Amino acid sequence: MPSTSTRRADVWLAPEQAPLVREIAAAAGLSIGRAGSPLRGQSGGVAADLGAVVADDLRAALAAADGELFLITDPGDFGTGQEDGEAEAIAAARARGVRIVTLEPVPATPLELAHAWTVPVDGVRPAESVVMCGTLAACPALRDGEFASSFGAARTLNVCAWSRPEEGTLGARLWSAMDLVRRLMGEPETVDAAYVAPGRARGLHALPAESLRGLSGDMACNCRFGDGRAASITVSNHAAAWGRSVTMLGEGGRATIGAGTEWIGADGKSHEPGRRSRAASAGEELGAEIRRVLDGETPEPPVDHAAVLAMCHAALLSCRTGQAEYPATIRRMAGT
């Protein structure tokens, strides 16, 4: 349901994301103040499309932000270490009371996290001033502490996250899935992954870049834990429509969470009546999540940026080497 209250937000987006931003704004009760784009020469067009004031530079826009929210749906190169002062710009905006929400991982690499984003500014690490939206951890059923405690620990986990390109990158879907794996099962010992580029003909083997930023296509991952547990991940930003699905196997039986919740106990009996709801669009889900952020609700415990980025980059490295890779090694190399 669209929100009836209005909060002012500035937005940084790609031109093709304007319809998504309008849907998010309607669902979250946002009015757009300033808007700009990471694509050269596109800021005027996206601002006109959204009826907003033009913002030409993301750091300058963060410095000028005075609303409740700054929404970054496409950061461009921001958070990849190509420009100085990015973490400080985020920290300064947050210190003025502006909530910064992004649909993409910021920062985007373990090395950049260690370089600038973990150095406290006024007692707060800049990485902790950015809220990543569109994550599986924010799904209401998975935030239900009573359900989690009743089901118990998972021994095997399957996580799927899908979207269209304008709803986020493959890097965002991978980050979201890895964050949930870490929350439910901890950091895996190894990650073994395969990447499929969009539109590739059979027989061609594409490889991903070394950054989550701009990543597009499909990925499948197997995460192995030292105690014998396992998690599998399937993610894509070329999957026709927005959707998420999580299946847990454990002492509590089998639970599947997607558009609804199904929980079959170890005795074969249903603990949940197979509740289903209409599958929400990306804009509806993201708008509802942003409302919760503005109301002071965030997933608990907080994100472990170092662990999640290490897991993601172990997957990227595995796609290139064809072998299982170790998140702990990535962390040691990055100094996190």
Side-chain angles (χ1 to χ4, degrees):
M1 292 292 292
S3 175
T4 56
S5 62
T6 301
R7 289 156 152 162
R8 191 157 60 85
D10 297 338
V11 185
W12 196 253
L13 69 155
E16 62 271 18
Q17 293 178 312
L20 174 66
V21 168
R22 282 194 291 269
E23 189 176 10
I24 291 172
L30 304 175
S31 64
I32 308 301
R34 299 180 182 87
S37 175
L39 301 181
R40 187 180 298 275
Q42 297 298 314
S43 290
V46 298
D49 199 356
L50 296 173
V53 175
V54 179
D56 289 317
D57 178 81
L58 181 50
R59 285 180 299 170
L62 285 166
D66 55 4
E68 286 192 61
L69 175 72
F70 200 111
L71 174 61
I72 304 172
T73 63
D74 186 340
D77 291 331
F78 190 87
T80 61
Q82 298 188 30
E83 298 288 343
D84 293 329
E86 296 174 337
E88 291 80 2
I90 287 286
R94 187 67 187 96
R96 297 195 309 276
V98 180
R99 298 305 303 265
I100 300 107
V101 168
T102 177
L103 304 190
E104 299 293 331
V106 175
T109 69
L111 285 173
E112 182 60 11
L113 176 70
H115 172 67
W117 291 78
T118 56
V119 179
V121 178
D122 294 329
V124 179
R125 301 195 314 166
E128 297 168 354
S129 296
V130 181
V131 177
M132 174 87 167
C133 270
T135 64
L136 285 148
C139 293
L142 291 170
R143 289 165 56 92
D144 185 348
E146 182 177 348
F147 168 78
S149 62
S150 299
F151 182 85
R155 66 174 182 269
T156 304
L157 182 68
N158 174 255
V159 180
C160 299
W162 313 287
S163 72
R164 298 181 296 172
E166 62 270 26
E167 295 164 347
T169 65
L170 174 61
R173 304 286 76 80
L174 178 63
W175 194 100
S176 169
M178 288 296 191
D179 174 51
L180 185 67
V181 169
R182 189 209 63 81
R183 289 176 184 274
L184 295 179
M185 303 185 76
E187 184 177 313
E189 182 177 15
T190 64
V191 177
D192 189 352
Y195 168 73
V196 181
R200 285 283 177 179
R202 186 174 299 177
L204 294 177
H205 181 58
L207 297 175
E210 296 182 3
S211 173
L212 293 175
R213 193 59 49 78
L215 190 62
S216 188
D218 316 328
M219 191 176 292
C221 308
N222 284 322
C223 301
R224 295 179 174 87
F225 295 81
D227 59 3
R229 292 173 301 144
S232 62
I233 291 172
T234 304
V235 288
S236 174
N237 74 326
H238 282 261
W242 178 268
R244 287 92 75 84
S245 175
V246 179
T247 297
M248 297 183 288
L249 304 177
E251 293 298 324
R254 185 190 79 229
T256 299
I257 298 167
T261 301
E262 181 186 53
W263 177 9
I264 307 299
D267 58 3
K269 298 179 180 178
S270 175
H271 287 236
E272 298 282 339
R275 296 193 305 266
R276 295 196 60 83
S277 57
R278 180 184 66 86
S281 68
E284 291 170 332
E285 286 202 7
L286 292 167
E289 189 176 345
I290 287 171
R291 284 204 313 271
R292 293 194 293 268
V293 169
L294 292 175
D295 290 338
E297 300 179 33
T298 55
E300 295 294 342
V303 174
D304 186 335
H305 293 88
V308 175
L309 282 172
M311 292 162 64
C312 290
H313 282 265
L316 294 181
L317 182 59
S318 175
C319 291
R320 297 194 298 275
T321 65
Q323 300 175 354
E325 299 294 342
Y326 296 79
T329 301
I330 303 291
R331 296 185 70 164
R332 285 195 298 272
M333 293 175 61
T336 58

